[in-house]
Amino acid sequence: MRNIFLTFLFLLLIIPSYSQTWEQVVNSPQYLYGEGWGVTVAEADKQALNDLISKITVNVEGTTTITENERNINGNIDATTNFGSIVKTYSQATLNNTEKVILENEPEAHVGRWIKRSEINKLFELRKLKIKDYVQSAVNAERAGKIDVALKDYYWALSLLQSLQYPDGMTFQTEEGDEVVLMTWIPRQMNEIFSNLDSSYVKKNGDDIEIFITYKGLPVNSIDYTYFDGSDWGNIYSAKDGVGIVEMASGNQNENYQLKYEYEYKGEAHIDKDVEAVLESIKTIPMRNAYQSFKKNDDIRMNSHSKNSNSFSKLSQEKISKPKEFQASSETKDVIDKIIKSIVEKNYDNVKSYFTPYGYDIYERLLKYGKAKVVGTPDVKFYEDNGTVYARGLQLSFSFASGMRKSFVEDIVFTFNKEGLIDNLSFGLGKTAEDDILGKGFWDEKARFAIMNFLENYQTAYALKRLDYIETIFDDNAVIITGAVVYRQNQPLNGEINGIQFGGDIIKYNRHTKDSYLKALKRSFEGKEYINLRFADNEVRKLGKGGEVYAIQISQEYYSSNYGDKGYLFLMVDINDPANPIIKVRTWQPEKDPDFGVYGPEDFM
C-alpha cells in the first residue's frame, strides 16, 4: 500500500511539473513551439515538429529583407528564391536543438516541441562557418588545379548563401587582404575559372573521342563535364591530368563538340545534408560561361610531352626528383601489351598466368569496379625499387550504370614481384600530388616513393573494398578516431603506442580498436555497390623522431552508392620498412575545429 501511495504521489508531482513547463514555453517570448496530435506518439511528434518548423520559417521571414524576390548577381544571373522553403533546410539541424514533451499519451497522443529563439541565430552562424569553409576549400583547390572541387565548393557556398537572413552582408577576406562580398565575388571567381579552361580534340578511337583539357595552360588535375552528343546531353564524365573522353553515339560523324563543365553537383550533394536541402529548394543558378565548344580540326593543344609537363605543384619542376626509368625486359613489356589488349578485347582470362593469385584477384576487382575502357594510346614507363618493378602509364576510364558518376579516368599502376609476376594493382595519384611528394628533396628517395605507393594503395583499398590489405597496414594498437570535435580537453589519452605518448585535445569521438574498426568497415563495404575516395588536398610532413615516420593530412570526399561525406583525414604512418607501411594513427573529422583546425601530429605526441 505504501508503494502505491508513493507512486501516486510521484505522479501528482510530475504531471504538474510537465504542465507548468509547457505553460511557460507557450507564454514566453523566448521560445517558439509546435504542437501535434495523433494515434501514436511518433505521429504526434512528427506533426509537432512540422508545426514548429513552420513557425520558425515565419519568424525568420519576419526579420529578414529577402522574402520572395528576384536577385541579380553580377549582372547576368537571375534566381527567384522562395525563402520560406529555404528556411526549412535548417530543420534537420533544428531537430537537435529542440525540447519535447508528451502532453497526452497514446491512443490520443498530444506532443509539444519547442526551441529557444536564440538557438535559431546559432544555426545561421553555423551555416556561415560552413560557407567560409567551402570558399576557402575552393580557393585552395583552384590553386592546385582541382577545378572540379573548386567549382563545386564555390557553387555550394553560393547556394548556401541564399539561405542566410542577410546574404548580401556576408564577406570574406582574400589572401591579398581584400574584404569581398561573397554574393558577387563567388560568381566572378567561377566565371574566371571557366575563362581559363581550354578543351581540344586529340583523336578518335571507334566512337570514343579522346580530349585534352587545360587550365591556365597546364593539364587540369581534375574536371567534370558533360557533352552534347547531337541529340541529348550525356551523363557526367571526369578528366584527370587533362585527359578525358567523349563517347559519341554509334556511327555519329559529328566533328563539332560542345562541353558543359559541371558545377552544380546535385547528384553528390548527399555528402552534406545542408547543401542537399538547399539545392532542392532553389533553382539552378545559370553559369553561361560553363559551356565550351571545339572542333576536330582545331589546333591540338596536347603534344607528345604534354602529359609530363608542369603540374600545379607548389614546387618548381627543377626541384622535383623524378624516378629513374628502368629498362624493363622485353618479356615484362610484352606482358603489359597483352594485358592492354585483353582489356580492349574484354578477354581477361587469357592473361591470368601473368599474375600471382593475389594480383589476379585485385585485377578482377578493378575490372568489376566499373565498365573499364582503355583511354588513348598508353605510354607505359617502368621503374624499379629493390627488385620490384612498377609499370605506370596505362589510363582507364570507368563507367557506372547508376549515372551518378558515369565515367572517370584513372591511372593504373602495375607492381611486378621479383619473379616477374604482377602482384598488385592500384589507382595512381594525380600528377600534382605526385610532384608535391617527389619534390621533398630533403627526404630519402626511397621514402618519397614509399609514401606515394602507400597513398595509392590506401585509396585503392577502399575503392576495391580490400579488407585484407587494410588489415595489414594498421598497427595492432593503432589510435583510430572518428567523429566531431566539440571542445578540447586537457587530459591526455591513456597509454603509449610503440613509445609515442598521445596527447589530448579530443572529447567527442568514437575511438575504435583495430578489430572494431575492421568489423564496422566490413559491414559498410557489404552494403555498397561502389566506393570512390577523392583527395582534394594533402599535406605530408616528416616527423622529427622515430625514423621514417610521416604525418599526412588530407581533405577527403567519400562517395558510394548509398552514402557520402566530406571531412578531414589524418594519418600517422611508419614506413621504416617501405614494403610494409604501418598506420599508427587514423582520425577523421567532418569539419575543421574552430580552435585548432585539422588533427595533426602535435595532437598525438
Side-chain angles (χ1 to χ4, degrees), residues 177-225:
D178 299 325
E179 197 76 16
V180 297
V181 177
L182 285 178
M183 188 59 79
T184 54
W185 183 78
I186 290 177
R188 287 201 302 270
Q189 295 303 109
M190 294 181 69
N191 284 324
E192 180 71 14
I193 289 175
F194 291 132
S195 69
N196 282 298
L197 286 166
D198 194 14
S199 56
S200 59
Y201 175 101
V202 177
K203 62 182 176 181
K204 188 173 184 179
N205 297 305
D207 293 317
D208 296 343
I209 309 299
E210 184 180 345
I211 64 174
F212 194 65
I213 304 174
T214 61
Y215 181 67
K216 294 183 177 179
L218 296 176
V220 63
N221 268 1
S222 52
I223 182 74
D224 292 337
Y225 59 91

Side-chain angles (χ1 to χ4, degrees), residues 29 118 184 225 248 261 303 342 347 418 536 553 561 584 596:
S118 60
T184 54
Y225 59 91
M248 303 301 291
Y261 296 117
N303 53 37
S342 77
N347 187 7
K418 294 180 180 180
Q553 292 174 312
S561 53
K584 302 294 185 181
F596 62 87

Side-chain angles (χ1 to χ4, degrees), residues 393 456 488 555 588 593:
E456 289 174 341
R488 307 176 72 173
S555 174
W588 184 88
D593 185 274

Side-chain angles (χ1 to χ4, degrees), residues 132 169-174 176-182 185:
K132 287 187 176 180
M170 186 168 179
T171 61
F172 179 79
Q173 188 171 37
T174 66
E176 294 75 22
D178 299 325
E179 197 76 16
V180 297
V181 177
L182 285 178
W185 183 78

Side-chain angles (χ1 to χ4, degrees), residues 527-563:
K528 292 174 173 56
E529 177 189 357
Y530 66 86
I531 296 170
N532 183 227
L533 296 187
R534 302 174 70 189
F535 294 155
D537 206 352
N538 72 74
E539 292 288 339
V540 183
R541 288 181 282 167
K542 183 177 180 181
L543 302 185
K545 59 182 180 179
E548 300 299 322
V549 179
Y550 294 83
I552 304 171
Q553 292 174 312
I554 302 171
S555 174
Q556 174 187 284
E557 296 186 354
Y558 177 108
Y559 302 96
S560 71
S561 53
N562 60 4
Y563 175 75

Side-chain angles (χ1 to χ4, degrees), residues 295-313:
K295 299 179 181 179
K296 177 181 178 180
N297 58 358
D298 284 347
D299 292 335
I300 297 176
R301 288 170 284 276
M302 182 186 76
N303 53 37
S304 59
H305 63 271
S306 290
K307 291 184 182 180
N308 299 314
S309 63
N310 292 359
S311 71
F312 287 88
S313 171

Side-chain angles (χ1 to χ4, degrees), residues 42-55:
E43 181 182 343
D45 187 37
K46 183 177 180 180
Q47 286 192 16
L49 284 170
N50 289 335
D51 186 32
L52 175 59
I53 290 167
S54 67
K55 290 179 179 176

